[in-house]
Amino acid sequence: MERRFRLFLILVITLAAAALAALSVLTYTHLHDSASRLEREDRAAFTALAERLADPENITGVRIQVKSTMGDYARYSSFDKSLLSGLTFASHDSPLDTDQSLSLPDDTTITVSLYKTPDSRILRKLLSFLDETFGTDFLTATEKVVLSMDGDLYRITYREKSFTAECPAMTEWIHAMQQQQ
């Protein structure tokens, strides 16, 4: 009986050690791949946003604030929504993603309001039916995209993702408007 117990105990310890080794390898590979996985997710979020910004009809409003002042709304009211379609994804190697301390001289924030669009065609049709029948506003509800400007780069917060992009035409327009002060 004691011999069987020892064999059973050795078997349990061996299996536990093998499971611990497998768990260690899986954890290491998952953590090692996390940077590329996050970049893939950010690129997917950027692609979804770029598709939505390509059609100015999806954009319900754009508000540009410099140093959080409310008086800038009138100055930037001539903003052309089509400039937002020029956003391009910037690599994660950009200065906004490093540990370097960056100064934000402009403190320029661009808040874009977009219509929420459901991913599924069936859901879109159902919400459209509910809007028409019951007077709801499911399809006209909006969501916000926040672009924080630093030089030529923008830190974009969209849904639960945050990534870096650039848009030379929009940057040029904003700098031209700031110089008109």
Side-chain angles (χ1 to χ4, degrees):
M1 183 73 163
E2 191 175 305
R3 185 173 183 208
R4 284 185 178 171
F5 181 71
R6 283 186 187 158
L7 287 174
F8 175 73
L9 190 58
I10 290 172
L11 181 65
V12 167
I13 291 173
T14 305
L15 287 175
L20 185 60
L23 184 62
S24 297
V25 168
L26 286 174
T27 302
Y28 173 76
T29 57
H30 184 70
L31 289 176
H32 185 68
D33 187 46
S34 65
S36 61
R37 179 178 48 84
L38 287 173
E39 183 153 352
R40 281 192 311 269
E41 290 174 359
D42 289 347
R43 282 187 186 272
F46 173 77
T47 303
L49 177 62
E51 289 174 1
R52 304 228 6 242
L53 292 175
D55 183 11
E57 294 291 321
N58 289 332
I59 302 170
T60 62
V62 177
R63 185 177 69 212
I64 300 175
Q65 288 181 280
V66 178
K67 297 180 183 172
S68 301
T69 59
M70 302 295 274
D72 292 325
Y73 295 152
R75 180 169 22 136
Y76 296 107
S77 64
S78 64
F79 181 77
D80 183 12
K81 297 176 187 178
S82 65
L83 290 175
L84 289 165
S85 65
L87 284 172
T88 56
F89 189 81
S91 171
H92 278 279
D93 298 332
S94 69
L96 289 177
D97 294 318
T98 63
D99 291 335
Q100 302 170 4
S101 62
L102 294 173
S103 62
L104 297 174
D106 296 337
D107 193 23
T108 303
T109 303
I110 304 158
T111 305
V112 180
S113 299
L114 295 169
Y115 284 121
K116 283 187 181 180
T117 56
D119 296 332
S120 167
R121 262 184 45 190
I122 295 170
L123 183 58
R124 207 171 318 138
K125 286 184 179 181
L126 175 66
L127 292 177
S128 175
F129 171 76
L130 291 174
D131 286 350
E132 291 171 8
T133 306
F134 300 108
T136 59
D137 63 348
F138 293 123
L139 283 181
T140 58
T142 60
E143 62 184 335
K144 287 197 293 189
V145 179
V146 178
L147 293 86
S148 299
M149 184 177 169
D150 181 27
D152 294 341
L153 296 175
Y154 298 89
R155 167 62 75 189
I156 300 175
T157 305
Y158 174 61
R159 295 185 178 163
E160 295 174 0
K161 300 289 180 197
S162 183
F163 44 86
T164 306
E166 52 192 348
C167 183
M170 186 166 63
T171 303
E172 183 180 319
W173 185 88
I174 290 173
H175 286 310
M177 292 302 292
Q178 288 174 348
Q179 290 178 358
Q180 288 181 2
Q181 289 184 7

